[in-house]
Structure formats: structure tokens, C-alpha cells
Amino acid sequence: MQARELEHDGLRIRSYGTAGPWAVVLHGGPAAPGYMAPVARRLAASFRVLEPFQRGSGGEPLTVARHVADLHGIVTECCGGTRPAIVGHSWGAMLALAYGAAHPDAVQALALVGCGTFDLAARARMRATLDERMDERVRRRLERLDEAIADPDERLRAMGSLIQRVDSYDLLPAADELAPCDARAHHETWDDMIRLQSEGVYPAAFAAIRAPVIMFHGAYDPHPGALIRAGLEPLLPQLEYRQWERCGHYPWRERAVHAEFLDALAAWLEARFAEA
């Protein structure tokens, strides 16, 4: 399926599908746009899907609030006055929660795929898992990236490619749909999220979310699903959780579960709109 190109407030948006409720698919990184296209294309069988490329670096440092405001502009201007489902991956799942907390009446449902971390314990577990899995070849290549690649955006892309091997169980081959990365946007956005966590803003703010929420997680994902879930459940009593074995951080690309995951995601979203 060929995406249609849109633009809103200087942001690039890819649009898929012609009928059905609205869904917005959020990439991770931060600042690694484009790779969620396979998820958007699958959902387009039942939804009108928007895949925004989040704001890049510029005159002012990027913040979580800026990304939330950008997403709200897209939702209010591009979703026909209706409440969309938000599907976020990794950092995109964190942004989905931040948006749902800031605008609880603007979302129909939140689906969190491979959600990122909100506390020191979960991040420590993730780092330990990555360290355990990393062989010396990958470790050396990561250590030498600063010397090997001068451009910070290309260096971020290369780092992501290396980490993806450790994040994943058994990936199917796929076209590289990742657009150019933005290292400055990545660091500014992530630094602000860490600041907000250290100040106690997140995850506490997520208690304001009233929409249905589900985590889709791979058992092999270094992001520790059980720990992340345990930190969110006291704030989100409606939180559902589904986990797959033989599945890492990118379920739609994992050989053992890709079709089952995409079908489950679409079915869960369809059910949430049917309940409305």
C-alpha cells in the first residue's frame, strides 16, 4: 500500500487507508522515524492511519511537552474531530502515555508496543540484559562508533542497527524504511523525559488516563515488560498485558509471531471502537 504524504505545522505525516476509525502510529528513538510503516500498512485494512514523523531539532531544545503539543495538533486537525487510537512503539509508547495523560478526552485507546522504561530499576535491568547478550564483536563496534562515524545522525542510525541485533530474537528480513535520524533531537527529547521522571512527573501523571490501555511485549525484549507493567498498574488499573515468547523489541518483524501480533493489535483496537 502506497502512503499519501501530508504535512501539518511543518511535520511530515504519512497517511494510509481510506475508511474506518482513526489510528495514529508513533515511532520510537526518539528521532528515528519511518520504521513503523509496516504496522501502519497492516492497520490500514480497518483504520485510517496517520504515521507522523516527530519534530526534529531546531532553534529551541525539544521537550516532551513540545511533542505532546505536536501530536495534539495532528489529532485535532487531521482526525476529523474524532478520538483516534494511539499506537506507540518504544519511546513512541512513552509519548502515547504522556499524550493520554495531557489530553485524556482526546484518545479512544492506547496500545503500547515494547514500551520504554519509567524508573531506574527497569533501566538497570534493561542495561544488564543488553550487556549479557552483547558479544565482543558488537561491543567493540559500539565502542568505536565515535571514531568510525563522524556524523552524529549517521552514528545514531548505526548504533540502532547494532542494538537491534541484541534487542531481537529472530527477525524476518525487511526493507529498511527508517528515515534519516536526528541525534540532537534524540538526546534533547530523552534528556527531558529523564528530567520529568526524576522530578516525579512521570509516571505519576498517567493516573489521569481514562482510555483503555494495553501493553504488547516480547518476552525476549530487553525492556523488562514485567517491571514496566508493575510500575504502571497502580496508576492504570485498566492496563492489559499480552506477551509473546520468541519475540523481542519489534514484534511485527519477529519470525515466530509477526502475523499473530499484527492481527492481535488490529483486533484489540477494533474491539475498543466497537465498545464506544
Side-chain angles (χ1 to χ4, degrees):
M1 175 181 291
Q2 185 68 34
R4 299 177 299 279
E5 293 284 340
L6 307 175
E7 184 270 339
H8 175 75
D9 193 24
L11 302 178
R12 179 185 176 189
I13 305 170
R14 292 197 293 215
S15 176
Y16 308 78
T18 58
W22 288 93
V24 181
V25 174
L26 302 178
H27 65 77
Y35 71 87
M36 288 289 282
V39 178
R41 285 193 291 265
R42 168 60 181 86
L43 292 178
S46 304
F47 299 91
R48 289 171 288 181
V49 185
L50 300 176
E51 181 200 0
F53 287 35
Q54 295 156 34
R55 187 174 299 276
S57 57
E60 297 182 358
L62 284 170
T63 63
V64 176
R66 174 72 265 180
H67 289 297
V68 167
D70 284 342
L71 181 53
H72 194 52
I74 292 168
V75 167
T76 55
E77 296 296 326
C78 302
C79 292
T82 64
R83 296 185 300 176
I86 309 291
V87 180
H89 174 249
S90 197
W91 146 254
M94 303 171 80
L95 176 57
L97 287 167
Y99 180 74
H103 301 282
D105 295 323
V107 295
Q108 186 68 29
L110 300 174
L112 318 175
V113 184
C115 187
T117 59
F118 291 101
D119 59 69
L120 295 173
R123 276 193 292 283
R125 176 73 63 82
M126 181 180 72
R127 285 193 295 269
T129 300
L130 289 170
D131 189 62
E132 289 169 5
R133 292 182 187 171
M134 213 172 286
D135 61 31
E136 284 305 312
R137 179 173 173 272
V138 172
R139 201 183 309 277
R140 284 196 302 270
R141 290 183 67 182
L142 284 170
E143 291 171 350
R144 294 172 182 170
L145 279 180
D146 285 350
E147 300 174 6
I149 304 176
D151 182 86
D153 298 337
E154 288 300 317
R155 191 161 60 243
L156 177 64
R157 186 187 189 97
M159 181 179 70
S161 179
L162 288 169
I163 294 296
Q164 185 181 78
R165 304 177 190 181
V166 188
D167 274 345
S168 305
Y169 187 82
D170 182 18
L171 291 185
L172 291 165
D176 184 2
E177 300 187 74
L178 179 65
C181 296
D182 186 331
R184 180 181 157 197
H186 171 87
H187 292 298
E188 289 176 353
T189 299
W190 187 247
D191 287 350
D192 192 54
M193 171 54 79
I194 295 301
R195 176 187 65 82
L196 291 164
Q197 291 185 23
S198 68
E199 293 175 0
V201 176
Y202 298 132
F206 302 155
I209 296 172
R210 295 190 289 273
V213 186
I214 190 169
M215 290 178 65
F216 291 104
H217 220 83
Y220 195 75
D221 191 337
H223 299 74
L227 273 181
I228 296 167
R229 176 188 187 185
L232 293 176
E233 275 184 325
L235 305 162
L236 296 167
Q238 74 272 39
L239 180 65
E240 300 176 55
Y241 187 85
R242 181 158 183 187
Q243 180 171 283
W244 281 270
E245 299 298 324
R246 296 185 294 164
C247 178
H249 195 49
Y250 302 86
W252 64 94
R253 289 192 56 197
E254 288 285 0
R255 190 179 304 275
V257 305
H258 65 282
E260 183 181 347
F261 161 73
L262 288 169
D263 289 347
L265 172 61
W268 187 85
L269 294 175
E270 289 167 7
R272 302 296 76 76
F273 281 101
E275 292 170 350

